[in-house]
């Protein structure tokens, strides 16, 4: 890479690190690099291997491609409903990422559940964060706890429930209309 390319890459890494409110030392520790190397990279004074860039990107909640995509604006971003990234989920359900990378201190998802659909037959967990689940439209049954001893919570529009992501949970739409929901998770977990 040229010096100007190194400088632009370094500036993007620094901007993403600052958005994430990480120190140079914290990024270095997560990327398994020295703080002086990260500092030099951010100032465009050195280049990096692809392997190191993958570790840096992962520590920032990004892909390597994100580090090089200069068309993405770093900072305030508007995401139109039709442009929200969709996560592949169970049949009859749709889950969309609302919070954009790099994830900072919170991740937000919007979801839709067709009548009779669910997150699956088995409850699931992800990390050990605080999760708030809000029903916007429709009626949802949220099961909290392991199979066999889970408590059912029937939620109507405007109802919410708060729980740890380490508690097994399962969502079912037993109604005749499509339900719209929102998840807020803090801090972000590795999979939702």
């Amino acid at each position: 890479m040229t010096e100007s390319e190194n400088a632009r890459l370094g500036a993007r890494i620094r901007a993403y690190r600052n958005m994430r409110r990480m120190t140079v030392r914290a990024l270095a520790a997560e990327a398994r690099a020295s703080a002086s190397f990260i500092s030099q990279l951010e100032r465009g004074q050195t280049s990096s291997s692809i392997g190191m860039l993958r570790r840096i990107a992962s520590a920032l909640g990004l892909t390597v491609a994100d580090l090089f995509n200069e068309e993405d604006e770093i900072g305030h971003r508007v995401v139109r409903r039709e442009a929200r990234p969709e996560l592949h989920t169970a049949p009859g359900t749709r889950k969309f990422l609302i919070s954009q990378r790099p994830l900072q201190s919170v991740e937000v998802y919007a979801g839709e559940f067709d009548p009779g659909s669910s997150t699956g037959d088995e409850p699931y967990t992800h990390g050990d964060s605080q999760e708030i689940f809000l029903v916007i439209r429709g009626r949802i049954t949220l099961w909290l706890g392991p199979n066999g001893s889970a408590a059912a919570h029937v939620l109507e529009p405007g109802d919410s429930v708060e729980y740890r992501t380490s508690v097994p949970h399962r969502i079912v739409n037993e109604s005749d209309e499509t339900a719209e929901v929102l998840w807020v998770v803090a801090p972000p977990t590795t999979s939702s």
Side-chain angles (χ1 to χ4, degrees), residues 59-170:
L60 293 170
L62 302 165
T63 66
V64 173
D66 293 328
L67 294 178
F68 289 95
N69 186 354
E70 295 185 24
E71 293 178 16
D72 279 352
E73 187 177 326
I74 300 173
H76 303 289
R77 293 170 283 176
V78 173
V79 179
R80 304 287 178 207
R81 182 181 184 101
E82 63 276 1
R84 297 186 296 198
E86 184 172 356
L87 286 74
H88 299 288
T89 56
T93 68
R94 290 160 299 285
K95 191 171 186 179
F96 305 94
L97 180 63
I98 302 298
S99 49
Q100 298 298 299
R101 290 187 295 216
L103 297 176
Q104 296 181 42
S105 56
V106 67
E107 60 186 328
V108 180
Y109 296 91
E112 297 171 351
F113 288 83
D114 291 338
S117 66
S118 71
T119 54
D121 294 335
E122 296 294 320
Y124 69 99
T125 63
H126 50 101
D128 186 31
S129 294
Q130 178 182 16
E131 183 162 271
I132 298 171
F133 179 78
L134 170 71
V135 176
I136 297 169
R137 179 173 50 99
R139 187 177 69 243
I140 288 289
T141 302
L142 173 69
W143 294 86
L144 286 172
N147 264 349
S149 63
H153 303 278
V154 178
L155 305 171
E156 304 278 341
D159 291 345
S160 64
V161 63
E162 183 177 341
Y163 50 91
R164 299 299 298 179
T165 59
S166 56
V167 172
H169 48 286
R170 178 175 179 259

Side-chain angles (χ1 to χ4, degrees), residues 6-19:
N6 280 339
R8 287 195 310 273
L9 173 63
R12 289 185 63 74
I13 291 170
R14 181 175 46 256
Y16 280 124
R17 178 181 57 76
N18 287 334
M19 277 181 68

